[in-house]
Amino acid sequence: MTRRQRSVDVIVVGAGPAGLAAARGLADHGVGVVEVLEREAVAGGVPRHCHHRGFGRWGVTGPQYAARTVEAALGSGARVRTGVTATGWAGPLTLDTTGPHGLERIAARAVVLATGARERPRSARLVPGTRPAGVLTTGELQQAVHLHAQRVGTRAVVVGAEPVGYAALSALRRAGVTVAALTTEEPRHQLGRAWAAAARLGHGVPVLTGATVAELLGRGRVSGVRLRHRDGRLTTVDCDTVVFTGDFVPDHELARRGGVALDPGTRGPAVDGAFRTGADGVFAVGNVLHAVEPALWAAREGALAADAVRGFLDGSGPARGGPAIEVAAPLRWVAPNRAVPQVPVDAFVLRTSQALTRPVLVVTQDGRRLHRQYVPRRALPNRTLHLAGRWTRSVDATGGPVRITVGGPRGGNLGAATE
Amino acid sequence: MTVTSKGPLCPERQMSPRPYDVAVVGAGVVGTAIARELARHPHLHIALLEASADVGDGTSKANTAILHTGFDAVPGSLEARLVREGQRLLAAYAAESGIPVEPVGALLVAWDDAQLDALPGLLEKAGRNGYDAARIIGADETRAREPHLGPGVLGALDVPGESIICPWTTTLAYATQAVRSGVELHLNTRVETVSSEGGDHLLATSRGALRARFLVNAAGLNADVLDRLVLGAGDFTVTPRRGQLIVFDELARDLVRHILLPVPTALGKGVLVAPTVYGNVLLGPTAEDLDDKEATGTTADGLDGLLTKGRRILPALLDEEVTAVYAGLRAATEHDDYRIRCHKERRYVTVGGIRSTGLTASMAIAAHVAGLIAEADAGLDLEEPVEPAPVHMPNLGEAFPRPYQRADLIATDPAYGTIVCHCERVTRGEIRDALISTVPPASLEGLRRRTRARGGRCQGFYCGAAVRALHEGRGEWGPE
């Protein structure tokens, strides 16, 4: 055995907004040795390559925000080790790592998973056609443009009209690439009014809704995208670059390899309001729980989780368990997704698969209504939908699953889907 | 060592190209195996010509990656013999060269009465092919050995000798050993016309003229075209048979223990579910006869059909992420057997109709072809071969320690501890080694086949730009 073995108090896996905030919260409160493992060469997470503004409380750029969060974590006394990958588990709270300095086996009293999320690539979306070069995700595009100054192409199609699609547009513009179209299968874009107007008017990019990518064309390099429109019509858009944006999924590999149970909706670790997973002493925060929320939300969870981890370490935390929280269609998922009456939750995040006009969210357990909430706006797919969390204190810890449904305006269970 | 990919094959001032003793056309798994076999005769001056920019870039890169026993071949056929011999040869070669092989065994699972009734015939056929280890097992045993199978299993034929193998490393090992033994590999070299001059073959290629005393046609999908160029007529036509495949993420690997082969019946052949040596799970292939030799695209119908069949075989598989969808073209002909023919008077061997079994049979095909050349008595001395220096290929297999798991290797060079591609855990050291290897990659795709970089579930979301930077900056590590 040529693994160096050592022990720390808390391991945080992932030095993005959530992991760094958790580490800072722990180290600030004097929780012994807090070590953040970051597999990338530079800490800071995804904001490092998001050059647009809007990060954190002051709306700085991604790299500025990343630098601040790293500095804050280091300032608190947390260790941040970059270029070190947690490759697997050697025990319930022991991780094996690989880095340029060799192999290690690190035991801890608690582990915080903050492994983030990624976009689903073309293959996972089962897009047919050839396999040409020039097909990428926003994450790769941003790194190519902002971190490596690589040439990207001359004419691009952006697939997906979530807010991240706008980030892709801005990276393409920086790289001098013309954007032929922004397309989405959804009947309407989810960019937000200002961004959509900026895309259409500011940059002259047509936003094609109800358009599915039917086929990628080209050998060697991509030469075009065949789109199927709502009416069944097929059109071809010529391009040498295709960016698949959004469709985020949690990077849950390490959680699964550790036997941490996943929530069937989010596909991230199932957690309660204290960010406790099904494995004792293993916590999860940030976008591995809900792909994806803004950096500020992830950081807020990191800070809250730090309190929960301290509670676990000194034995003052509430008992684990509690019923699962399920959602009914058209809702897709909710996080956190276990309800423990003693654990207060400010707000839950949800997603819908269909646009909903001013929906009413109804929370029940075993037929008993716990909460009813009117949402005074349109809820769109791929956009955050918040649900207040005060009702968790009235959950029956030994009862059946808690259900969240979209109710009608007068309390009925009418589907309020409008499209 | 000579590998060229651009410029004229013959320097301009030289009036007549220097003749090769043998030119092998096609650097797929068969062509590279033949070049490697012939290179055991060090005095032979050999050219290996490839139309693509890389070796193993056609049919050889997009198959089901299985090392077959040949239990279900047509008894008495050339294919049956060469698959049987080739399996033994390649298994030994793989062990010596570091080509990942996992002897997981296969189960031909019967889902209906027709399939169940077909099992005894298959067992008997295996016996006639000299394979005696197969046996029929009942539904309970099948389910015990594959607990994640869908409902309705009736039984299975157990073929313990079937293995999974890395097809990319196999071709690359052959090519590497051939080039190190003196074979001149010319990439981006498409043969346009062939004429005869003074008994030699004069090949006009996309990179100029080339002269060879003996010609070997291992052109795969285009073997029929080359046959007509050389002979003016051909005795077979290649009809590309497209196979679409879906690759599932490594997190699906625990769902399947064996290669789950379909039971062929009169109603069709079905699809297989198989683990890969990289730790993924394959679902496929489709079988579509086409007339376009470049139709390597997947289709919505093809993928839908695979998912429907996959859901029946292994329902939980469909909850996992897909890491790749691809299509390969098998070089099917109108004949049931391989079409390997020696035209003595023309000093020419055609190696045609090498179907999906070609990977398994490759070394035996090469030995067979070398034998035909020796018999042809073309003035080439094929006596007393010399064994080439062994090659040790970088390990891409999960069943063997990979560099990121090896403290010894990282201690000698920290680049082996620097993971660049996180999903597949490919290190900077491995990428560097591939870029400065004997047969270096021409593209990121080629780099993926040599290292697995960018081949995982994120398809480059995390590492794409960094891998590309290493690829584009390869001058840093050695000659381009």
Side-chain angles (χ1 to χ4, degrees):
Chain A
M1 186 66 188
T2 40
R3 265 180 202 281
R4 285 189 300 280
Q5 310 215 12
R6 53 194 188 82
S7 301
V8 299
D9 291 287
V10 182
I11 301 174
V12 178
V13 185
L20 289 170
R24 179 190 177 181
L26 288 161
D28 266 346
H29 284 87
V31 174
V33 180
V34 179
E35 184 160 311
V36 186
L37 304 179
E38 171 53 54
R39 61 190 191 177
E40 297 293 341
V42 180
V46 165
R48 283 178 308 127
H49 46 77
C50 295
H51 274 230
H52 54 86
R53 293 191 166 274
F55 281 86
R57 248 175 229 111
W58 296 279
V60 297
T61 68
Q64 288 168 333
Y65 178 79
R68 285 183 194 185
T69 52
V70 174
E71 223 169 88
L74 292 173
S76 71
R79 287 187 201 162
V80 179
R81 299 178 67 216
T82 57
V84 178
T85 305
T87 56
W89 302 76
L93 295 173
T94 304
L95 288 169
D96 282 347
T97 67
T98 290
H101 304 297
L103 308 183
E104 288 192 322
R105 177 159 292 175
I106 311 172
R109 295 162 60 211
V111 174
V112 180
L113 301 175
T115 48
R118 59 185 169 77
E119 292 164 296
R120 295 175 85 216
R122 170 262 173 107
S123 52
R125 303 180 192 212
L126 294 173
V127 175
T130 53
R131 297 175 79 192
V135 179
L136 62 181
T137 48
T138 316
E140 180 174 358
L141 169 73
Q142 289 180 329
Q143 296 191 54
V145 173
H146 297 305
L147 301 185
H148 296 279
Q150 289 166 347
R151 275 186 305 111
V152 174
T154 58
R155 190 176 150 86
V157 169
V158 175
V159 182
E162 305 175 34
V164 63
Y166 195 76
L169 287 186
S170 100
L172 288 167
R173 230 153 29 90
R174 164 79 76 93
V177 181
T178 307
V179 179
L182 196 140
T183 74
T184 174
E185 295 181 11
E186 299 289 338
R188 49 163 48 222
H189 68 76
Q190 312 104 53
L191 286 173
R193 234 172 247 151
W195 279 358
R200 275 203 189 96
L201 305 174
H203 315 309
V205 177
V207 179
L208 307 177
T209 57
T212 311
V213 180
E215 190 180 359
L216 292 186
L217 308 169
R219 341 201 128 266
R221 181 85 190 186
V222 65
S223 64
V225 171
R226 192 158 288 156
L227 296 175
R228 180 175 295 108
H229 298 270
R230 219 168 317 177
D231 54 8
R233 194 167 42 96
L234 285 170
T235 57
T236 302
V237 183
D238 294 336
C239 61
D240 61 11
T241 303
V242 181
V243 186
F244 284 91
T245 72
D247 197 358
F248 287 92
V249 285
D251 214 21
H252 61 207
E253 180 185 9
L254 193 61
R256 282 184 72 179
R257 299 227 184 261
V260 174
L262 301 187
D263 176 75
T266 62
R267 299 290 287 160
V271 292
D272 64 17
F275 304 97
R276 298 179 296 182
T277 71
D280 204 16
V282 179
F283 295 73
V285 288
N287 282 333
V288 72
L289 299 179
H290 39 63
V292 296
E293 290 293 315
L296 199 60
W297 185 267
R300 179 180 158 279
E301 285 179 353
L304 290 170
D307 295 338
V309 173
R310 286 192 294 120
F312 168 75
L313 293 176
D314 63 22
S316 66
R320 296 194 313 141
I325 309 173
E326 301 171 352
V327 294
L331 299 176
R332 282 177 56 211
W333 52 253
V334 59
N337 27 51
R338 295 200 82 81
V340 179
Q342 300 83 359
V343 177
V345 178
D346 286 1
F348 289 85
V349 285
L350 295 95
R351 287 290 186 282
T352 172
S353 57
Q354 291 171 29
L356 303 170
T357 303
R358 293 184 289 281
V360 175
L361 301 174
V362 181
V363 184
T364 57
Q365 184 185 27
D366 299 326
R368 184 168 61 98
R369 196 167 86 188
L370 305 180
H371 179 67
R372 184 167 175 279
Q373 180 179 333
Y374 169 66
V375 181
R377 60 173 185 83
R378 253 175 103 79
L380 292 176
N382 304 317
R383 296 298 298 265
T384 301
L385 178 59
H386 284 292
L387 173 70
R390 294 178 304 277
W391 51 269
T392 50
R393 67 177 82 116
S394 41
V395 165
D396 174 1
T398 57
V402 174
R403 284 175 61 81
I404 305 174
T405 52
V406 177
R410 277 169 299 281
N413 261 0
L414 304 169
T418 52
E419 273 165 4
Chain B
M1 289 189 286
T2 306
V3 180
T4 73
S5 56
K6 54 185 182 225
L9 293 176
C10 162
E12 265 174 45
R13 284 184 303 278
Q14 206 174 311
M15 290 303 289
S16 151
R18 180 186 166 204
Y20 288 97
D21 293 312
V22 184
V24 179
V25 180
V29 73
V30 172
T32 54
I34 293 169
R36 175 196 164 274
E37 176 72 29
L38 295 175
R40 295 162 73 219
H41 307 279
H43 51 276
L44 286 187
H45 185 43
I46 304 164
L48 175 58
L49 309 180
E50 170 54 47
S52 163
D54 200 354
V55 300
D57 200 27
T59 300
S60 305
K61 75 177 176 192
N63 51 52
T64 50
I66 294 172
L67 183 57
H68 292 287
T69 57
F71 77 95
D72 61 346
V74 177
S77 64
L78 178 63
E79 182 180 15
R81 175 166 74 80
L82 295 181
V83 168
R84 200 162 55 236
E85 290 174 15
Q87 196 260 357
R88 195 172 38 77
L89 290 171
L90 181 50
Y93 181 72
E96 156 196 323
S97 311
I99 299 166
V101 172
E102 284 183 57
V104 292
L107 296 177
L108 281 80
V109 181
W111 299 89
D112 59 37
D113 289 336
Q115 293 176 359
L116 194 64
D117 292 346
L119 297 184
L122 287 165
L123 180 66
E124 187 260 338
K125 192 176 180 186
R128 281 195 285 146
N129 279 317
Y131 185 76
D132 295 324
R135 64 190 185 97
I136 292 172
I137 60 174
D140 290 345
E141 185 177 347
T142 307
R143 188 160 292 291
R145 288 173 59 180
E146 285 291 356
H148 296 282
L149 284 174
V153 174
L154 300 178
L157 181 69
D158 174 22
V159 189
E162 297 275 299
S163 304
I164 53 176
I165 185 169
C166 175
W168 306 326
T169 309
T170 305
T171 307
L172 200 61
Y174 295 158
T176 301
Q177 215 169 17
V179 169
R180 287 185 188 165
S181 306
V183 170
E184 298 187 358
L185 170 61
H186 299 300
L187 300 164
N188 294 317
T189 305
R190 180 176 293 279
V191 176
E192 285 159 356
T193 64
V194 183
S195 53
S196 200
E197 198 179 273
D200 290 349
H201 297 280
L202 193 62
L203 277 61
T205 79
S206 53
R207 292 179 53 206
L210 177 145
R211 184 186 282 271
R213 291 187 58 73
F214 206 100
L215 187 63
V216 177
N217 174 356
L221 290 167
N222 288 306
D224 57 341
V225 178
L226 185 58
D227 228 24
R228 285 175 180 83
L229 285 180
V230 178
L231 302 172
D235 61 355
F236 66 94
T237 304
V238 176
T239 309
R241 183 167 298 156
R242 180 164 63 191
Q244 303 186 38
L245 290 123
I246 299 178
V247 185
F248 289 86
D249 184 36
E250 287 164 39
L251 291 162
R253 177 64 182 83
D254 291 342
L255 294 174
V256 57
R257 298 173 184 171
H258 308 78
I259 302 162
L260 301 177
L261 293 172
V263 180
T265 65
L267 292 172
K269 217 188 142 196
V271 303
L272 63 80
V273 173
T276 72
V277 294
Y278 325 109
N280 301 104
V281 178
L282 272 183
L283 169 64
T286 59
E288 310 151 61
D289 285 330
L290 306 174
D291 45 21
D292 180 356
K293 289 177 177 174
E294 297 196 329
T296 52
T298 50
T299 62
D301 288 349
L303 299 177
D304 282 351
L306 290 181
L307 293 176
T308 304
K309 288 175 178 159
R311 186 173 289 120
R312 168 97 198 260
I313 300 168
L314 210 61
L317 185 61
L318 274 78
D319 292 336
E320 300 296 338
E321 289 289 306
V322 169
T323 59
V325 293
Y326 66 90
L329 300 175
R330 289 98 100 186
T333 68
E334 64 274 45
H335 303 283
D336 276 341
D337 204 350
Y338 291 168
R339 298 300 282 179
I340 303 180
R341 292 274 182 284
C342 181
H343 304 270
K344 277 187 196 182
E345 68 295 347
R346 300 298 302 268
R347 296 186 196 155
Y348 172 62
V349 176
T350 301
V351 188
I354 309 299
R355 305 175 300 190
S356 56
T357 50
L359 170 63
T360 302
S362 51
M363 293 187 84
I365 293 172
H368 180 64
V369 168
L372 292 175
I373 296 174
E375 276 171 33
D377 196 19
L380 303 176
D381 176 12
L382 293 181
E383 300 294 311
E384 295 172 27
V386 179
E387 283 317 306
V391 286
H392 299 286
M393 302 304 290
N395 169 41
L396 303 189
E398 287 298 308
F400 309 89
R402 296 191 49 222
Y404 83 89
Q405 297 166 314
R406 290 182 52 189
D408 56 330
L409 210 54
I410 299 169
T412 61
D413 183 350
Y416 294 113
T418 307
I419 297 178
V420 179
C421 164
H422 299 292
C423 302
E424 299 293 298
R425 301 204 176 136
V426 183
T427 64
R428 185 181 167 90
E430 292 164 276
I431 293 173
R432 173 200 60 203
D433 293 352
L435 293 174
I436 59 173
S437 63
T438 304
V439 185
S443 64
L444 289 170
E445 279 295 284
L447 183 62
R448 177 174 61 79
R449 295 198 293 272
R450 284 160 176 82
T451 62
R452 292 171 50 180
R454 293 173 61 117
R457 64 185 77 87
C458 93
Q459 291 284 303
F461 175 90
Y462 292 114
C463 70
V467 172
R468 185 178 154 194
L470 293 177
H471 185 250
E472 289 174 353
R474 64 178 133 173
E476 186 189 328
W477 285 318
E480 288 239 351

